[in-house]
Amino acid sequence: VAGGTITIGGMAKGAGMIHPDMATMLAVLTTDAAIEAALLQALLTTAVNQSFNRISVDGDTSTNDTVLLLANGASGVSLTGANDLAAFADALNYLCLWLAHQIVRDGEGATKFVEILVTGAASEAEATAVGRTIATSPLVKTALAGSDPNWGRILAAAGRAGVALAQERLSLWVEADSASLQLIQRGLPTKYQETEAAALFAQPEFCLRLDLGQGTAVAKIWTCDLSHDYVTINADYRT
Amino acid sequence: VAGGTITIGGMAKGAGMIHPDMATMLAVLTTDAAIEAALLQALLTTAVNQSFNRISVDGDTSTNDTVLLLANGASGVSLTGANDLAAFADALNYLCLWLAHQIVRDGEGATKFVEILVTGAASEAEATAVGRTIATSPLVKTALAGSDPNWGRILAAAGRAGVALAQERLSLWVEADSASLQLIQRGLPTKYQETEAAALFAQPEFCLRLDLGQGTAVAKIWTCDLSHDYVTINADYRT
């Protein structure tokens, strides 16, 4: 920033019961910037809403969610002006998102990291509701575990999210690296190759992009698969 | 009944996505009684609300729920008077409950049939909400698969059901056949033997009885465990 270099550090612990907002999650962020507590809180809230509050591992919940952001001013560098604050916010957002993704990657039994990208929604709340429902559906998550491009389960989950949807407006893609394959166009399956779709679903990381065809709002949710190891971990684990 | 013998038959098909009310379930009930359609509908609604609408397999849903009750009057026996109707209702309720339980027993990957009995609630709606949340928690259901008397997960699920609960009023028992073991008394673990609790959780059928200590309302929900076979079936299955 203008006055010198500041550092933000962070660590987080998951990795089940990450629902609906954080839960069974502890994250501690630190910075040596000199910044007021109220401003820090506002920046943290924004960062958390786009990261820790948009992940799910198993749809179960806990009472223990905590994200702390501590600033001690040890750098002697104050944040002054909009540019400094924007730079700090960017770094904080990046760090929170990176940690949130790590929690999903480290989810109990997780073998896949999947972004649910919902576009074309009438509002962000509706996009989020659809994304969360897909991200927590046991049938979607077992299909992810099996590398099964089961678009029926994805659309069925979207349909029960409490959002009015028109099937003939829905389009769905699976995207990994630079590959993008459309599975559904306006409510009907495309003539995609099953082997090509299965190959994308077999990637360790990919994105399911669902366009609702109703507006311009967008939301992203990150989730993992529901694997045999999830059952092993939670059937054998005893507090 | 007074006028002679009537018969009710039934068949049902599950066995995943049985949530929240029936879903991916088809049941057809038949009777040779002579009875009006409107009356039949009222009796069926009552029976379904206590049976098919109180089961869960994986918490996922579907659009295809159907229960049909057909009467053709072929017996030539009419239902007349309160006694006849009560006898018919009893038989219909029994049949619906039996079929609903079979669906849970036949749930995808199910190795256990578990009754969640919630007592001492302020209202039936609250008792049902608590029971449903316990019955669909992945962590409770994996604990059931592992024969793990993990009362912490059961109480945690109850606590997120959207019902105001007081921990110090909660009591929990596990019951199988004629055995009853109290795990929690007014919010605190009893001095039960872990081996004894685990033995009850290892039964193929048992009841988790949770008393909320807030009133007199009661609800029952039936569920199954979340096992490795559930993952196998749904990761490998492809429509």
Side-chain angles (χ1 to χ4, degrees):
Chain A
V1 295
T5 296
I6 60 159
T7 302
I8 310 178
M11 63 180 80
K13 168 261 160 203
M17 306 173 78
I18 306 296
H19 191 83
D21 293 333
M22 301 192 253
T24 318
M25 190 203 89
L26 302 173
V28 179
L29 312 169
T30 58
T31 180
D32 57 4
I35 180 170
E36 273 183 64
L39 186 53
L40 213 54
Q41 180 65 56
L43 294 171
L44 180 62
T45 299
T46 299
V48 166
N49 283 338
Q50 298 300 321
S51 57
F52 295 117
N53 283 357
R54 291 182 170 273
I55 57 177
S56 188
V57 167
D58 62 5
D60 226 315
T61 74
S62 173
T63 53
N64 307 330
D65 52 324
T66 299
V67 174
L68 293 174
L69 171 53
L70 308 169
N72 66 358
S75 66
V77 178
S78 293
L79 299 176
T80 53
N83 285 349
D84 280 9
L85 285 177
F88 185 85
D90 281 351
L92 184 62
N93 292 341
Y94 176 87
L95 178 62
C96 288
L97 195 59
W98 189 85
L99 289 169
H101 288 181
Q102 294 300 314
I103 287 173
V104 176
R105 288 193 169 91
D106 195 39
E108 290 174 333
T111 70
K112 296 194 178 147
F113 174 77
V114 180
E115 177 175 279
I116 313 292
L117 170 57
V118 180
T119 64
S123 68
E124 190 189 340
E126 291 196 353
T128 301
V130 170
R132 280 189 192 277
T133 308
I134 296 170
T136 55
S137 158
L139 289 176
V140 169
K141 289 162 75 74
T142 47
L144 298 178
S147 302
D148 174 4
N150 197 319
W151 49 261
R153 295 185 187 175
I154 297 165
L155 298 189
R160 67 173 167 87
V163 174
L165 298 181
Q167 182 186 326
E168 66 274 14
R169 288 172 173 240
L170 302 178
S171 294
L172 177 69
W173 292 258
V174 54
E175 302 180 327
D177 298 322
S178 57
S180 176
L181 180 67
Q182 185 166 12
L183 303 177
I184 299 292
Q185 183 169 29
R186 299 188 167 274
L188 295 174
T190 63
K191 295 186 194 301
Y192 68 88
Q193 295 296 313
E194 182 74 14
T195 50
E196 194 183 349
L200 289 170
F201 273 73
Q203 298 295 311
E205 296 195 19
F206 56 90
C207 172
L208 298 174
R209 176 159 64 93
L210 176 64
D211 190 87
L212 306 184
Q214 303 195 129
T216 58
V218 172
K220 289 180 183 177
I221 302 285
W222 295 276
T223 191
C224 59
D225 55 330
L226 169 53
S227 72
H228 281 286
D229 276 357
Y230 177 81
V231 176
T232 299
I233 291 166
N234 285 298
D236 300 346
Y237 162 82
R238 180 77 172 87
T239 46
Chain B
V1 295
T5 297
I6 60 159
T7 302
I8 311 178
M11 64 180 80
K13 169 262 160 200
M17 307 174 79
I18 307 296
H19 192 83
D21 292 335
M22 302 192 252
T24 317
M25 191 203 88
L26 302 173
V28 179
L29 312 170
T30 59
T31 181
D32 56 4
I35 180 170
E36 272 183 63
L39 186 53
L40 214 55
Q41 179 65 55
L43 294 171
L44 180 62
T45 299
T46 299
V48 166
N49 283 339
Q50 298 300 321
S51 57
F52 295 117
N53 284 356
R54 290 181 172 274
I55 58 177
S56 189
V57 168
D58 63 4
D60 225 316
T61 74
S62 174
T63 54
N64 305 331
D65 51 325
T66 299
V67 174
L68 292 174
L69 172 53
L70 308 169
N72 67 358
S75 66
V77 178
S78 293
L79 299 176
T80 52
N83 285 349
D84 279 8
L85 285 177
F88 184 85
D90 280 353
L92 184 63
N93 292 342
Y94 176 87
L95 178 62
C96 288
L97 197 58
W98 189 85
L99 288 169
H101 288 181
Q102 293 300 315
I103 287 173
V104 176
R105 288 192 170 91
D106 194 39
E108 289 174 335
T111 69
K112 297 195 177 144
F113 174 78
V114 180
E115 177 175 280
I116 312 294
L117 168 59
V118 180
T119 63
S123 68
E124 190 190 338
E126 291 195 357
T128 301
V130 170
R132 280 188 191 277
T133 308
I134 295 170
T136 54
S137 159
L139 289 175
V140 169
K141 289 162 75 75
T142 46
L144 298 178
S147 303
D148 174 4
N150 197 318
W151 49 260
R153 295 186 189 175
I154 297 165
L155 298 188
R160 67 174 166 89
V163 174
L165 298 180
Q167 183 185 328
E168 65 276 13
R169 288 172 173 240
L170 301 179
S171 294
L172 177 70
W173 293 258
V174 54
E175 301 179 328
D177 298 323
S178 57
S180 176
L181 180 67
Q182 186 167 13
L183 303 177
I184 299 293
Q185 181 168 32
R186 298 188 167 273
L188 295 173
T190 63
K191 296 187 194 302
Y192 68 88
Q193 295 296 313
E194 183 74 16
T195 50
E196 193 182 350
L200 288 171
F201 274 73
Q203 298 295 309
E205 296 196 19
F206 55 91
C207 171
L208 298 174
R209 176 159 64 93
L210 177 64
D211 190 87
L212 306 184
Q214 303 196 127
T216 57
V218 171
K220 288 181 183 176
I221 302 284
W222 294 276
T223 191
C224 59
D225 55 331
L226 169 53
S227 72
H228 281 286
D229 276 357
Y230 178 81
V231 176
T232 299
I233 290 167
N234 285 297
D236 299 346
Y237 161 81
R238 180 77 171 88
T239 45

